[in-house]
Amino acid sequence: MEELTMLRQLIGQLQDFFNLYGSSSSASSSYILHQPSIQIYQQHRPNNRSCVLNLDDDYCDLIIASGKSGSPKMLEPCKPLPTKKCRKERKRVATTGTSEVLVQEIWKEFPEDLFEAVIARLPIATIFRFRFVCRKWNSLLNSESFSQHCAEVVRTIPWFYTITHENVNSGAMYNPSAKKWHYPTISSLPSKVIVVPVTSAGGLVCFLDMGHRNFYVCNPLTQSFKELPAKSVKVQSRIAVGMTLNGISTSEGYKILWVGCDGEYEVYDSLQNTWTRPGSMPSHIKLPLSLNFRSQAVSIASTIYFMRSDPDGIVSYNMVSGVWKQYIIPIPFHLSDHTLAEYGGRIMLVGLLTKNAATCVCIWELQKMTLLWKEVDRMPNIWCLEFYGKHVRMTCLGNKGLLMLSLRSRQMNRLVTYNVMSREWLKVTGCLVPRGRRRQWIACGTAFYPCPTAVA
């Protein structure tokens, strides 16, 4: 009789506990009284603690045994009792554990407005794979909020859009993070003229036909394409091209500058969709410019920098203020195929240093105080031995913190990347013709920071 009274007290305490904290099952007092066994398991939730009832035939014996010892001991709330499990079930619990349930619960309660912020920070290739999950994720690239999230993500490793010497209208795009080549086909580019990439900004690549008549802007990832209006000035000489953003993304507009050796230049504004002539080249800049066309322009904030020769130096133009500047800076001796690069607001110089029969790739940094070039790194000597006694030519295919260099001679064809921050040299696997086996010689190219939401 005493044991029955103690059992009723225990059941009453359990009912008070359920009424206080809630239960995942609609257990009533009559349900509990008519069930001889009860077991309590803890279920974790972000802001809720509840208990789930499970039936166990051994639980009644446990309560009675505790009563025989003197007085029944109240079970600790939400503490699971040890139960026997088969070996297969124990293995499954060990491999999955409660962490899997917790992760599922966290993602189930994950705020919807944070999904875009998370996806925007994934690798570019992963973002495009996620588009196949559902219609909502497929429409992310057209979402203004997702575009803002992508603009906030700082991409430190650029991709490279290159042109092979055999098929100039079909690009070969290299992802250095995955060390993989892609072969996009931009169907909107004209097929009857030779079109080459000349500059980039905000995930967009600017193309120019070899006749210098038309410009094209395209996002190689999404095929967003735009043909720019015809220039108001027809230039017969070769031109240099630079590109900057008005803000942090292409939604705020972008500008493109072209300049010729004779000092003629124009600026394109994407918001106005027109070319303008802000003025004439100032008199303190010596003409002709003798631009180094093998060297692409680099942009730091709103300023474009070009290399010039005779005299050697750099010419800059500010897209906002419209101010031209010239810096007379001697080029290091025995240097050839040199080109500008930039990293973190610093202007770099990369070129082939040849003396006697030895050739090496060297990196310099422009000192702001003295306006002189200071050597900061050079290619490993064991790599340079491969160039000994050979007539090597170099083309810089990208100049945004990660440089891609095309080194070739009659006996070799090499692609090399150099990371300005880590000072790491890496050999790049050869670019192959799609479904082919023969490596391609890269004719020209440009670096761009991939952005899936950039609109031309």
Side-chain angles (χ1 to χ4, degrees):
M1 189 69 180
E2 182 181 356
E3 293 178 355
L4 181 60
T5 302
M6 296 173 61
L7 178 60
R8 289 179 177 176
Q9 292 178 355
L10 174 60
I11 295 176
Q13 292 176 353
L14 290 175
Q15 288 178 336
D16 294 338
F17 176 79
F18 293 142
N19 294 334
L20 179 61
Y21 292 98
S23 174
S24 61
S25 63
S26 58
S28 61
S29 60
S30 59
Y31 178 87
I32 299 177
L33 289 175
H34 287 82
Q35 296 296 331
S37 58
I38 306 171
Q39 187 172 358
I40 305 173
Y41 288 92
Q42 183 178 6
Q43 183 176 9
H44 296 274
R45 292 184 180 177
N47 295 311
N48 183 26
R49 298 181 62 191
S50 61
C51 293
V52 181
L53 296 179
N54 284 338
L55 300 179
D56 192 344
D57 294 337
D58 297 331
Y59 183 66
C60 185
D61 297 336
L62 180 63
I63 297 179
I64 295 176
S66 64
K68 291 181 179 179
S69 63
S71 61
K73 297 181 180 180
M74 184 62 185
L75 297 179
E76 294 182 11
C78 299
K79 184 176 181 180
L81 292 175
T83 58
K84 295 182 178 179
K85 296 182 176 64
C86 63
R87 181 177 300 177
K88 184 177 181 181
E89 185 178 357
R90 289 199 303 266
K91 183 177 181 181
R92 180 181 61 82
V93 173
T95 55
T96 58
T98 58
S99 60
E100 181 179 352
V101 178
L102 292 176
V103 170
Q104 291 177 354
E105 290 296 327
I106 291 175
W107 283 101
K108 182 178 179 181
E109 303 296 332
F110 198 80
E112 291 289 339
D113 57 345
L114 293 182
F115 269 113
E116 293 185 356
V118 172
I119 296 177
R121 284 157 176 79
L122 294 174
I124 296 298
T126 305
I127 293 177
F128 279 89
R129 286 198 300 268
F130 274 23
R131 295 181 63 188
F132 296 97
V133 173
C134 59
R135 293 181 179 179
K136 181 178 180 180
W137 286 13
N138 185 44
S139 62
L140 282 180
L141 299 187
N142 300 323
S143 169
E144 183 177 353
S145 59
F146 183 68
S147 179
Q148 293 176 353
H149 286 303
C150 288
E152 295 172 357
V153 178
V154 179
R155 306 281 179 183
T156 57
I157 302 297
W159 286 24
F160 301 96
Y161 188 93
T162 63
I163 298 295
T164 62
H165 75 293
E166 289 188 353
N167 194 352
V168 294
N169 289 325
S170 179
M173 192 164 56
Y174 183 68
N175 176 2
S177 299
K179 298 181 180 180
K180 184 178 180 180
W181 286 96
H182 305 274
Y183 303 92
T185 300
I186 304 177
S187 56
S188 300
L189 286 174
S191 58
K192 296 183 179 181
V193 295
I194 298 177
V195 181
V196 296
V198 288
T199 187
S200 68
L204 299 178
V205 177
C206 178
F207 297 84
L208 173 66
D209 68 75
M210 296 300 289
H212 300 167
R213 288 186 287 272
N214 294 309
F215 283 90
Y216 310 91
V217 175
C218 176
N219 184 340
L221 302 181
T222 62
Q223 306 295 311
S224 175
F225 180 86
K226 183 178 183 180
E227 180 178 355
L228 305 190
K231 306 187 303 295
S232 60
V233 179
K234 295 183 179 181
V235 181
Q236 302 299 327
S237 63
R238 302 181 66 179
I239 62 177
V241 184
M243 185 177 182
T244 60
L245 295 178
N246 295 338
I248 61 174
S249 68
T250 57
S251 61
E252 301 178 62
Y254 56 87
K255 291 184 175 66
I256 298 175
L257 166 72
W258 69 262
V259 57
C261 294
D262 56 359
E264 295 282 356
Y265 70 95
E266 281 186 303
V267 176
Y268 171 79
D269 190 339
S270 64
L271 299 180
Q272 304 296 328
N273 195 30
T274 56
W275 291 96
T276 58
R277 300 186 64 187
S280 57
M281 190 75 67
S283 58
H284 67 273
I285 296 181
K286 182 181 178 181
L287 298 177
L289 289 177
S290 300
L291 296 170
N292 179 5
F293 294 103
R294 296 179 58 85
S295 173
Q296 298 182 45
V298 299
S299 60
I300 300 177
S302 59
T303 302
I304 304 290
Y305 296 87
F306 304 91
M307 288 204 72
R308 66 159 303 162
S309 57
D310 194 24
D312 293 331
I314 297 176
V315 177
S316 69
Y317 178 77
N318 189 295
M319 292 285 207
V320 177
S321 63
V323 175
W324 285 93
K325 291 183 180 180
Q326 179 176 252
Y327 307 90
I328 306 302
I329 307 171
I331 296 296
F333 294 110
H334 312 292
L335 188 65
S336 63
D337 295 348
H338 49 280
T339 181
L340 286 181
E342 65 85 20
Y343 174 73
R346 295 176 294 168
I347 298 179
M348 316 295 291
L349 180 70
V350 55
L352 284 176
L353 191 63
T354 303
K355 192 172 183 181
N356 298 329
T359 301
C360 185
V361 180
C362 296
I363 309 294
W364 289 266
E365 181 181 342
L366 181 62
Q367 305 300 296
K368 295 182 179 180
M369 297 299 295
T370 61
L371 288 181
L372 295 175
W373 296 110
K374 177 183 178 181
E375 183 178 338
V376 293
D377 201 3
R378 62 173 54 194
M379 182 178 285
N381 290 332
I382 191 171
W383 289 17
C384 296
L385 290 176
E386 189 178 6
F387 308 149
Y388 189 84
K390 299 177 182 178
H391 181 66
V392 181
R393 299 304 304 271
M394 186 189 75
T395 302
C396 187
L397 307 175
N399 50 18
K400 297 182 181 298
L402 183 68
L403 315 182
M404 177 179 277
L405 309 176
S406 174
L407 299 160
R408 63 189 183 276
S409 68
R410 290 183 178 180
Q411 298 85 7
M412 71 168 197
N413 178 20
R414 297 287 183 271
L415 286 178
V416 176
T417 59
Y418 174 73
N419 191 311
V420 178
M421 181 181 67
S422 63
R423 297 187 177 184
E424 183 180 19
W425 299 85
L426 291 176
K427 293 182 180 180
V428 179
T429 56
C431 171
L432 302 177
V433 179
R435 297 179 299 277
R437 295 183 179 180
R438 187 158 51 87
R439 293 186 178 183
Q440 293 294 284
W441 168 52
I442 302 297
C444 61
T446 188
F448 72 100
Y449 292 106
C451 181
T453 59
V455 179

